[in-house]
Amino acid sequence: MLHLSRLTSLALAIAIVIGAPLAQAAEKTAPATPAAVLPAKTNAAAKPPLPLDELRTFAEVMDRVKAAYVEPVDDKTLLENAIKGMLSNLDPHSAYLGPEDFQELQESTSGEFGGLGIEVGVEDGFVKVVSPIDDTPASKAGIEAGDLIVKINGTPTQGQNMQEAVDKMRGKIGEKITLTLVRDGGTPFDVTLARATIQVKSVKAQMLENGYGYIRITQFQVKTGDEVGKALAKFRKDNGKKMSGLILDLRNNPGGVLQSAVQVADHFLTKGLIVYTKGRIANSELRFSADPADASEGVPLVVLINGGSASASEIVAGALQDQKRGILMGTDTFGKGSVQTVLPLNNDRALKITTALYYTPNGRSIQAQGINPDIVVRRAKVTNEADGENYKEADLLGHLGNGNGGADKPTVKSGAAAKARPQDDDFQLSQALSLLKGLSITRGN
C-alpha cells in the first residue's frame, strides 16, 4: 500500500487522492472525503517558453476590467477568480482551494465536518444529489439520491457551478436552510434542514442472521481499512466459527482515500493486483497488490453497488470482480475513474487537479463507463403480507405420529411482531442474503 505504515497525518503523508465523484454540500471543498498531499516535482529544463502573447492578453483584460467594470474590483479578487476559472474548466474534479477550503479538506480526513451531509454534482445545469450521507440532516429529512436541487433558500441553482451551490449550502451550525427539490420529474417541494456538525462513521457492521455478516461503507476515510479489519475480526469472534457469507455494501458510497480502498480490497484478497494508476508524471503511475493475509478467511462474498457507488468504491468493486473474489449485485456504478492530487501552495492554499486514471487488475478503465454488476438487481419496494389461516397435519385431531420419533410441528400462532431487520425492507440486500444462503447450501457449508 502506498502509505506503507498508516496514513495518520495529512501534513506528513505523501499520498494520492481518489476524490468522490462530486463535491459535498456539507463541505466547501470539492472532494467528498479526506485527501492527502502529493508534492509536485518540477523539471526546470523541461519547461516550455512562456506564452507571451496570451499573457499580454490576460494583462490587458485584467486592466480593462479594473478600469471599466461597474464596481471597483481589486487585483486579488481578479487573480483568484482567474485561477478558479483556469482549474474549473479542466474537468469537474479539479479546483482551486483557498485557505478555508484547504483547511476544511484536511479536517474532513477525520470524518468530521460541518454542513448538511449531501454529496452533490451538476447535471444538465442543475445541482443533483448523488447520495445523502447516513445519519445526517439530509438523510433524516428524506432527501434521496437523484433529487434535483432547483433552489437554495429561494435562489435558483440553474447555471451555477458546483462550488457556488456548495458554498450556499454551507453555513453556521444550527442555522436553517431551505432546499427546493424535484424528484423523478414531479412537482417541486421544499425541505428545510438545520446545518449540523457531520460526524461520518464510515463503517457499519452487524450480523443479519446467524453466520451471515453485513458491512456497509459510507465513505473511504483514512481509517476505513482499519475499521473493516476490526469488523471482520469481531465477526470471527462473535460467530465462533467461519461465517457462511458476507455482504459488503458500497451503494451510494461516493469514494474517498485511495489507500483505504486498497486496504479494504486487501482484506478480501490474498494475491494479485488491486489497482494501478497511469498519468503523465512518473510519480502518478503506481501499482497496488494484495498481501497474503486474508482477514475475511475466504468467506463467500456479495458486493452491493449502484449508481451512487463511485471512485474508491469502484476500485474495490472492480478488484473483487476481476479477481473473482465476490459477486457484484445491484446496478451500474457512477463511472469516476480519475485520480485527484492535492498540491499545497503558499499562504495555506492548494490546487486539486486530476493527475491520473486508475485501472482495475484486468486493465479496465472505469472513467465515464462504470462497473457493471454480475447480477442486476434494481431497487424495489418490499411489502410484507400476513400469513393466512393455514392448518397442518399436526393440527388435525387424531393424526398419526411421526414414525421416526420426531416431535409434532403444529401451526405456530403469530405473536408479537418480529424485530425489524435491515433486509426486511431492502430488496437488494435481501436478494444478496438469499444468494449467499443458496451458495452455502450448494457448497455444503
Side-chain angles (χ1 to χ4, degrees):
M1 299 179 189
L2 183 59
H3 49 57
L4 298 180
S5 55
R6 296 291 181 196
L7 184 61
T8 56
S9 170
L10 181 65
L12 299 177
I14 298 178
I16 263 190
V17 176
I18 296 287
L22 316 155
Q24 285 191 11
E27 295 184 287
K28 194 173 181 179
T29 57
T33 47
V37 174
L38 178 63
K41 291 186 177 181
T42 59
N43 186 346
K47 286 184 177 179
L50 291 174
L52 296 180
D53 288 345
E54 288 77 7
L55 288 173
R56 289 191 187 99
T57 301
F58 175 82
E60 183 180 0
V61 169
M62 182 173 173
D63 184 60
R64 293 195 178 189
V65 170
K66 289 177 61 179
Y69 187 65
V70 65
E71 294 179 352
V73 186
D74 60 79
D75 292 341
K76 179 181 178 181
T77 299
L78 288 174
L79 289 171
E80 290 211 345
N81 287 342
I83 295 171
K84 290 177 182 177
M86 185 192 310
L87 272 294
S88 65
N89 283 301
L90 293 175
D91 66 80
H93 310 292
S94 296
Y96 170 73
L97 307 179
E100 292 184 4
D101 302 334
F102 192 28
Q103 177 64 30
E104 290 173 10
L105 177 62
Q106 296 176 75
E107 289 175 354
S108 69
T109 305
S110 65
E112 180 176 329
F113 49 86
L116 301 177
I118 311 174
E119 305 293 340
V120 299
V122 175
E123 182 176 288
D124 297 329
F126 288 99
V127 179
K128 182 178 181 179
V129 177
V130 173
S131 62
I133 301 173
D134 291 352
D135 301 325
T136 64
S139 64
K140 293 175 182 177
I143 293 176
E144 298 180 0
D147 288 348
L148 294 179
I149 303 175
V150 296
K151 292 182 181 180
I152 301 173
N153 281 338
T155 302
T157 61
Q158 188 173 19
Q160 293 183 5
N161 63 41
M162 191 162 51
Q163 194 64 53
E164 290 173 335
V166 169
D167 289 345
K168 290 183 178 180
M169 285 187 276
R170 291 186 71 253
K172 185 178 179 182
I173 292 173
E175 286 186 349
K176 292 186 177 181
I177 179 172
T178 299
L179 305 180
T180 302
L181 307 175
V182 172
R183 180 172 300 163
D184 298 327
T187 304
F189 61 96
D190 291 341
V191 175
T192 300
L193 311 87
R195 298 183 181 97
T197 298
I198 309 299
Q199 295 181 333
V200 179
K201 297 178 181 178
S202 65
V203 176
K204 297 181 180 180
Q206 67 182 95
M207 297 297 293
L208 297 176
E209 293 183 9
N210 186 30
Y212 295 94
Y214 172 70
I215 295 178
R216 169 158 172 73
I217 303 177
T218 57
Q219 288 179 291
F220 284 89
Q221 300 170 358
V222 169
K223 296 182 180 179
T224 299
D226 291 337
E227 292 175 4
V228 170
K230 292 177 182 178
L232 291 171
K234 189 173 188 302
F235 282 154
R236 290 195 300 271
K237 179 180 178 181
D238 294 348
N239 202 47
K241 59 180 181 179
K242 182 178 176 180
M243 291 192 300
S244 300
L246 178 67
I247 297 170
L248 179 63
D249 190 350
L250 300 179
R251 292 173 298 175
N252 296 326
N253 182 322
V257 179
L258 170 61
Q259 291 87 340
S260 294
V262 171
Q263 278 185 285
V264 169
D266 197 11
H267 284 315
F268 300 97
L269 299 171
T270 58
K271 61 180 179 180
L273 195 60
I274 294 175
V275 66
Y276 66 95
T277 65
K278 291 196 299 185
R280 288 178 57 211
I281 57 178
N283 58 2
S284 66
E285 297 190 2
L286 302 165
R287 297 174 70 87
F288 302 86
S289 297
D291 63 51
D294 184 9
S296 67
E297 300 182 311
V299 61
L301 178 67
V302 173
V303 183
L304 291 175
I305 55 174
N306 66 3
S309 306
S311 199
S313 298
E314 294 171 292
I315 287 178
V316 175
L320 297 176
Q321 186 179 53
D322 282 4
Q323 297 272 23
K324 307 296 183 184
R325 176 59 185 88
I327 299 172
L328 270 56
M329 179 180 285
T331 55
D332 295 350
T333 61
F334 183 81
K336 180 183 179 295
S338 60
V339 180
Q340 281 67 52
T341 301
V342 178
L343 306 173
L345 304 172
N346 56 2
N347 299 326
D348 297 322
R349 289 166 170 79
L351 300 181
K352 181 171 72 74
I353 60 174
T354 300
T355 54
L357 297 178
Y358 67 78
Y359 298 82
T360 70
N362 288 350
R364 291 185 292 166
S365 172
I366 300 166
Q367 178 62 24
Q369 292 186 357
I371 290 179
N372 306 121
D374 301 307
I375 302 175
V376 176
V377 178
R378 304 192 181 281
R379 288 182 61 190
K381 187 174 182 179
V382 179
T383 302
N384 294 318
E385 295 185 0
D387 293 332
E389 290 295 328
N390 296 319
Y391 292 92
K392 298 181 179 180
E393 174 72 12
D395 296 319
L396 302 178
L397 186 63
H399 68 272
L400 297 175
N402 184 279
N404 293 325
D408 291 348
K409 293 184 177 180
T411 302
V412 177
K413 301 295 183 181
S414 58
K419 184 179 178 180
R421 305 169 302 174
Q423 63 269 33
D424 291 338
D425 57 2
D426 186 333
F427 179 68
Q428 291 173 319
L429 181 57
S430 67
Q431 290 294 98
L433 181 59
S434 295
L435 176 58
L436 285 174
K437 290 180 178 179
L439 292 174
S440 180
I441 293 170
T442 56
R443 293 177 182 179
N445 294 337

